[in-house]
Amino acid sequence: MDRLAAMAVFRRVVEQDGFAAAARDLRLSGAAVSKHVGRLEEALGVRLLNRTTRRLSLTEAGRTYFERCVRILDDIAEAEQLVTSDAASPRGQLRVNAPMSFGFRHLGPVLPAFLARYPDITVDLALNDRMVDLFDEGWDVAVRIADLPDSSLIARRVGTTRAVLAASPDYLARRGEPATPADLAAHDCLIYALTTRGQGWNFTGPGGQQASVQVKGPLRANNGDVLAAAAEAGLGIVLMPTFIVCDQLRAGSLRALMPDWTPPTTGIHCVYPHGRHLSGKVRAFFEFLTARFGTGTPPWEEGL
């Protein structure tokens, strides 16, 4: 059995949602397509597809195998392009994981331009705020907005974002405006649950003075948009990246506080597994995001 040929047939069956459609696309007989998939299942010792007269579906093992088949076949195709043409256009499926708020507000809106520039690339984008395992889950690249620890991942900075302390005019009218970090201990603060800093907020003041304060408040959440909306409603003070609260700051529904005390600036990185070659599609993604977010004024800072 030609394992790569069988993998390619299996992939096409899944993508075309059926043996007959895959056979037409590959210009093979239905029997030949069925034989490829059957021999693949026999060699692996598992069932990859559930077959009924009405529908076709992947088994759990089949879904895992399909995702790896896509990666392997795309890598092979790209490797062949790299050695046959220096000008080969990046191609293949690019699996991207990104934080929810940044992905929805800023990454998603620029993807049409990326795909228009690279028509041979398809993007599989997932948004969540958990730390995914790129190796085990099969991601090509992840966008991470954090001070990255040493790891087996290679990071490329594509931009930066600063944090801002903010509250609604209604909250400030009721509770007053903090002037120093120490004042925050007496305020209701809205806390981002996934930060590595816990409930401590850090600032740099005049002359480089460092200050850290432990905060508390009525709401702790693992999503920045939830906290920004709560701050906008007057629930408390929030420490958020400008890429989340830029619209509220421009509209005046949130007001930036303590201008003499600066929260940390954080890098926006694309990361990919160490030891995996930098493919053309991943390189194109890095370069595109750097051009959009890492040169000049990023979109979330415009007008602030």
Side-chain angles (χ1 to χ4, degrees), residues 280-294:
K281 60 188 177 185
V282 174
R283 186 190 303 277
F285 190 68
F286 287 161
E287 293 174 351
F288 179 84
L289 293 192
T290 301
R292 288 295 179 121
F293 302 142

Side-chain angles (χ1 to χ4, degrees), residues 37-225:
V37 175
R39 287 179 175 174
L40 192 58
E41 289 178 323
E42 184 179 350
L44 294 170
V46 296
R47 179 172 291 278
L48 300 173
L49 295 166
N50 293 315
R51 306 164 176 83
T52 69
T53 56
R54 293 187 176 182
R55 64 187 301 269
L56 188 74
S57 63
L58 285 163
T59 64
E60 184 176 350
R63 186 171 301 282
T64 300
Y65 191 69
F66 170 72
E67 291 172 355
R68 296 305 173 97
C69 281
V70 170
R71 177 183 299 281
I72 290 167
L73 294 169
D74 284 349
D75 283 348
I76 291 172
E78 186 168 41
E80 291 174 347
Q81 289 176 354
L82 289 174
V83 298
T84 57
S85 173
D86 292 336
S89 173
R91 66 174 58 238
Q93 184 185 65
L94 179 67
R95 300 194 72 229
V96 181
N97 186 275
M100 182 71 70
S101 296
F102 184 80
F104 179 75
R105 290 173 172 268
H106 302 288
L107 180 58
V110 303
L111 283 180
F114 174 75
L115 293 169
R117 182 176 300 180
Y118 300 104
D120 293 326
I121 294 177
T122 60
V123 172
D124 179 359
L125 173 66
L127 303 179
N128 54 61
D129 292 328
R130 68 182 177 86
M131 191 71 74
V132 300
D133 188 311
L134 272 70
F135 272 111
D136 288 347
E137 298 179 39
W139 300 106
D140 293 300
V141 61
V143 178
R144 290 187 176 166
I145 304 172
D147 297 321
L148 298 178
D150 292 336
S151 71
S152 60
L153 303 176
I154 298 174
R156 301 288 184 93
R157 179 172 290 204
V158 297
T160 58
T161 184
R162 64 186 177 93
V164 63
L165 194 72
S168 71
D170 175 67
Y171 176 88
L172 297 173
R174 287 186 290 108
R175 299 291 302 275
E177 184 170 341
T180 69
D183 295 340
L184 293 172
H187 279 270
D188 291 332
C189 296
L190 311 178
I191 299 161
Y192 182 58
L194 298 182
T195 179
T196 58
R197 296 186 297 272
Q199 295 183 192
W201 288 359
N202 303 318
F203 302 88
T204 301
Q209 180 182 356
Q210 301 295 308
S212 180
V213 59
Q214 291 294 309
V215 295
K216 63 183 185 301
L219 178 62
R220 184 172 181 266
N222 67 350
N223 180 265
D225 279 303

